[in-house]
Amino acid sequence: MGKPEVKGTVTSLSSVFPPEEMQKAAKMVEGKLSEKQNEMNQLKEFIADNTSLINLVQKLPDELHHDIMVPFGKAAFFPGRLIHTNEFLVLLGESYYADRTAKQTVEILKRRGKSLMSKVDALKAEMQDLKAEASFFDSTASEVADDLVEIREYEEDNSTERVSQSGPVELESPSVAEADNKVSASEDDEYARLMSRLEELEKEELAAEDEDANANATETETDSDEDELTEAAFHRKKVEGYSSLDHNQRYLVSQPRKQLQQSKGKDPMNEEMSTTYNHQDLTNQLACTGLTAEPVTKGEISRGRIVHQDTKMLNPPVNASVPSEKTSLKQIIHDSSRNEKPVQTPKSEFDSSKAFTGSIIEHTENLEKKLPEQKTTSSQSSDSKPSKPVSRFKMQRK
Amino acid sequence: MSSSSTALRELQRDLENKANDLSKLQKDIAKNHQVRKKYTIQLGENELVLKELDLLNEDANVYKLIGPVLVKQDLAEANANVRKRIEYISAELKRLDSSLQDLEEKQHSKREAILKVQQRIQAGKAKA
C-alpha cells in the first residue's frame, strides 16, 4: 500500500480575490451601513419624541385647565387656556382619529413605542450583519495586500490500483487553482474513470474504517477534474496550510454553487449543511487566525450567496469554473460534488472514524453504480436506489 | 465592403434600440419597486389602525379626516372601511408582483437578445 501522498495547491489570494473588487465590495457594504445608520437615527428620534409625548399627555390632566400661549399663524402667539384636559383626539393612522382619554392615549402611544423598538432591533441586527461583512472584506483586502498565499494539501491513502490509475489524475491537481477549462476530457473517458474510481473508493472505505476526520478538507475551487474531486472528497485531510479563511468561504460558496446547479430545492439542505460544516471548520480556523467575526460572516454569506449568482466576493475563477462545470459532465459533476459536500458536513454529526460518511446523493440516470445514500436528507432530493444489491457502505451495514 | 458595413450599422442600430428598451424596462422595474414599497407601508399602517379600532369601546367617537374636514364616523363603518382598504391594498400588491415578474422576464430576454446582436456585430467586425 502506498504511503499517504500529499498533494497540494498553492493559490495566490490576489488571483482569487482581486483587490479592486474587494474594494468595491467594501465600499458597497459601507454605503449600506451608512444608510442603515441613518434609518437608525431617525427611528431613535421617533422613539424620543414618543416618550416625551407620553410624559406630556400624562401631565395634562393634572389641571382642569392650563394657561398657555397659543400659537397664532406663523409668528404670533396669544395667551389662552387649554381646557378639556382629559380629552384627546388621537390619530390612529390613515387619517382616522378617535376620541380618547389621557390614559387610553398613553396606552396607544406605548404600543407605538413598542413597535418602534422592534423595528430598531431589526435594524440593529441588519447593521451587525453588514459590519461583519465589512470586517471580512477588510481582512481579506489586507491579506491580499500582504500577498498571502493559500496552500491546500490533500492526503490520500493510495491503493496500488489507485496509484496507477490516479497517476494521470493527480498530475492535474496542482493546476486546479487556475484551471477553468480542464474539463475538456471526453465525457465517456471521465465517466469510465469515475466509475472505476468509485469502485476503488468503495473498497477503500471498507479498508479505511478508522480513518480520522479527514473528509472535512476544503473543496477545490474548480471542478477541473472529476476524478481528482472524487478522491479528494473521500480522503481529504484538513488543510494545515491555511493562511486565510477565504478558501473556507470559497468552499462554502463554491459548494453551494455546485449544488445550485443541481436543483434549487436542495438549497435549504445545502445551507444547513454548509453552515454546520462551516461552524466546525470555523472553530478550527479561529484557532489559527483569531478572527471572531467569521461565523456570522460565514453564515450570512453562505446564506446570502447560495441562492444568489451575483456574489460580490465570489471570485471570478469560481464563476468561471461554474459555467465550465455546467457545460460538461453536469450530472457526473453534480454527483461528485454532492458526494463531497455530504462527506464533510456529516463529519460533525457522524463517526469521525468513517472515511466517507454522510449523504451521498446520486443521480439515477447517470450512474449505474450508486453510492448508496447514507442520510435521509441527501436522499430527499434524489430518488436513487443502490443498484448493487450489496451495500458496501458502512451506513447500511451498521 | 459596403454591404457588410451597412449590415454592421444596422446591427448597431438594432443594438441601440434594444439597449433603450432594456433601460426602459429597468426604469419600469424600479418604479414597480417603489410603488410596492408605498403599498406595503400603507398596508402596515392600515393594519395598525384596525388593531386600534378593535380596542375601542363601542361608543367611542371615531373621526375621519377628509381634506380639511374632520367627519365623525361610526365605529362599525370605520372598521369596514379599513378592512376594505386592506383588501384592496393586498390585491394591488399581488398585481404588482405579477407585473414585476413579467417585467423581469422581459428584461432577461432583452438581455439575451442584446448579447446575440453583440455577438453578430463582433462576427461582422471580425470578417471585415
Side-chain angles (χ1 to χ4, degrees):
Chain A
M1 219 46 105
K3 55 180 181 171
E5 286 185 13
V6 177
K7 305 186 297 182
T9 64
V10 173
T11 332
S12 160
L13 276 182
S14 51
S15 66
V16 169
F17 284 129
E20 310 87 35
E21 291 201 3
M22 295 298 305
Q23 288 176 4
K24 262 195 267 171
K27 277 192 199 141
M28 281 180 65
V29 173
E30 273 184 45
K32 278 196 199 163
L33 201 61
S34 55
E35 275 183 32
K36 299 287 173 187
Q37 190 65 45
N38 288 341
E39 287 185 28
M40 178 76 86
N41 291 342
Q42 213 194 23
L43 280 181
K44 288 207 172 135
E45 262 189 57
F46 287 163
I47 293 182
D49 284 345
N50 207 20
T51 34
S52 62
L53 190 59
I54 288 181
N55 289 337
L56 181 66
V57 169
Q58 279 170 337
K59 277 209 310 201
L60 278 181
D62 289 345
E63 302 279 337
L64 279 175
H65 43 78
H66 295 266
D67 288 323
I68 55 170
M69 290 301 273
V70 184
F72 194 58
K74 266 198 246 181
F77 295 86
F78 63 82
R81 268 203 188 152
L82 207 58
I83 55 177
H84 295 285
T85 51
N86 206 24
E87 298 168 26
F88 292 86
L89 198 60
V90 185
L91 173 69
L92 304 175
E94 283 278 318
S95 66
Y96 276 97
Y97 292 80
D99 270 341
R100 302 259 84 198
T101 69
K103 258 205 321 188
Q104 294 159 333
T105 315
V106 165
E107 280 173 21
I108 295 182
L109 289 176
K110 279 192 181 153
R111 265 175 265 143
R112 272 193 213 161
K114 256 201 288 183
S115 73
L116 280 178
M117 291 297 291
S118 62
K119 276 192 201 163
V120 166
D121 288 337
L123 252 192
K124 268 192 206 160
E126 283 185 32
M127 278 178 61
Q128 268 199 341
D129 288 343
L130 281 179
K131 275 186 196 155
E133 264 192 67
S135 72
F136 165 70
F137 282 134
D138 284 339
S139 64
T140 39
S142 63
E143 283 167 2
V144 169
D146 290 343
D147 282 338
L148 281 180
V149 162
E150 180 185 323
I151 309 167
R152 275 194 209 140
E153 296 177 6
Y154 313 125
E155 174 187 295
E156 305 166 14
D157 288 336
N158 288 322
S159 66
T160 47
E161 307 161 83
R162 283 191 61 221
V163 165
S164 60
Q165 261 218 0
S166 57
V169 172
E170 278 159 29
L171 284 179
E172 299 187 38
S173 68
S175 61
V176 89
E178 53 256 286
D180 283 346
N181 43 10
K182 292 285 165 81
V183 208
S184 43
S186 73
E187 294 204 5
D188 296 336
D189 237 10
E190 290 233 27
Y191 184 67
R193 270 197 290 169
L194 189 58
M195 285 294 94
S196 51
R197 178 60 47 77
L198 285 175
E199 285 230 33
E200 294 164 10
L201 290 170
E202 284 180 11
K203 291 178 200 158
E204 296 234 3
E205 271 238 3
L206 301 180
E209 283 262 3
D210 42 6
E211 178 120 9
D212 208 306
N214 279 353
N216 64 351
T218 58
E219 123 185 304
T220 57
E221 292 178 7
T222 67
D223 281 332
S224 54
D225 195 348
E226 275 312 298
D227 297 313
E228 182 225 340
L229 260 184
T230 37
E231 66 179 70
F234 291 144
H235 302 282
R236 261 196 213 155
K237 193 172 85 164
K238 187 102 185 266
V239 176
E240 283 108 4
Y242 279 34
S243 54
S244 75
L245 284 162
D246 299 75
H247 89 116
N248 261 356
Q249 293 284 351
R250 258 188 302 254
Y251 156 70
L252 268 178
V253 186
S254 49
Q255 278 203 341
R257 289 192 148 236
K258 290 188 186 113
Q259 308 293 5
L260 188 59
Q261 297 166 24
Q262 300 154 9
S263 67
K264 290 269 181 179
K266 287 164 55 87
D267 279 352
M269 172 180 68
N270 296 342
E271 279 183 58
E272 69 187 64
M273 293 204 319
S274 63
T275 41
T276 52
Y277 174 62
N278 184 9
H279 290 310
Q280 79 154 342
D281 204 19
L282 272 177
T283 48
N284 296 323
Q285 285 309 307
L286 286 178
C288 307
T289 62
L291 284 165
T292 51
E294 303 310 296
V296 178
T297 322
K298 297 284 166 61
E300 163 78 337
I301 292 177
S302 64
R303 238 184 296 126
R305 303 291 185 245
I306 283 177
V307 194
H308 228 51
Q309 295 286 351
D310 54 344
T311 67
K312 300 176 269 191
M313 8 183 288
L314 248 217
N315 11 27
V318 178
N319 281 335
S321 69
V322 166
S324 70
E325 284 179 336
K326 281 187 187 165
T327 52
S328 60
L329 306 172
K330 248 192 203 163
Q331 284 149 333
I332 297 182
I333 292 173
H334 294 173
D335 190 55
S336 66
S337 63
R338 274 189 294 187
N339 291 344
E340 291 177 324
K341 201 159 173 52
V343 166
Q344 285 128 34
T345 10
K347 278 294 176 182
S348 54
E349 308 159 17
F350 284 120
D351 234 1
S352 57
S353 65
K354 296 181 194 162
F356 174 70
T357 67
S359 29
I360 310 171
I361 305 153
E362 307 99 58
H363 274 292
T364 46
E365 317 91 297
N366 241 11
L367 298 183
E368 285 128 38
K369 293 179 207 153
K370 303 285 187 263
L371 307 172
E373 53 276 62
Q374 296 183 356
K375 252 181 105 157
T376 50
T377 51
S378 62
S379 53
Q380 301 171 11
S381 49
S382 70
D383 49 356
S384 53
K385 298 123 195 117
S387 55
K388 288 210 170 18
V390 176
S391 147
R392 292 181 258 178
F393 283 78
K394 294 164 201 125
M395 195 63 177
Q396 295 194 351
R397 280 193 317 171
K398 286 182 184 166
Chain B
M1 303 269 299
S2 64
S3 64
S4 67
S5 64
T6 45
L8 211 59
R9 257 182 269 136
E10 277 187 25
L11 282 180
Q12 284 178 336
R13 248 180 280 143
D14 194 22
L15 188 68
E16 278 179 33
N17 291 338
K18 290 205 163 41
N20 288 339
D21 291 341
L22 190 67
S23 63
K24 259 193 261 164
L25 274 178
Q26 283 178 332
K27 276 191 221 151
D28 286 340
I29 288 185
K31 251 201 306 176
N32 197 308
H33 273 294
Q34 265 190 337
V35 180
R36 262 180 107 236
K37 254 195 245 176
K38 226 181 34 145
Y39 274 132
T40 325
I41 296 179
Q42 279 188 351
L43 187 67
E45 207 178 329
N46 271 297
E47 298 202 339
L48 264 185
V49 176
L50 197 61
K51 258 197 264 172
E52 291 288 346
L53 283 179
D54 288 336
L55 287 169
L56 285 178
N57 279 332
E58 276 299 325
D59 56 355
N61 298 331
V62 176
Y63 304 87
K64 185 161 166 120
L65 187 68
I66 304 183
V69 180
L70 201 59
V71 179
K72 189 160 151 78
Q73 277 216 333
D74 193 20
L75 182 62
E77 204 182 319
N79 260 320
N81 282 345
V82 172
R83 289 218 169 94
K84 277 215 202 98
R85 198 158 156 75
I86 287 181
E87 281 176 26
Y88 169 73
I89 293 182
S90 345
E92 280 291 310
L93 268 180
K94 262 196 235 167
R95 202 176 52 88
L96 280 177
D97 274 341
S98 61
S99 72
L100 183 70
Q101 264 196 339
D102 278 342
L103 285 177
E104 282 190 351
E105 275 172 35
K106 274 195 220 156
Q107 189 193 46
H108 192 66
S109 57
K110 274 284 160 171
R111 281 215 182 110
E112 288 179 358
I114 284 185
L115 268 177
K116 280 190 211 151
V117 173
Q118 276 178 339
Q119 283 171 357
R120 286 169 64 194
I121 289 185
Q122 296 281 1
K125 280 192 186 152
K127 267 196 289 180

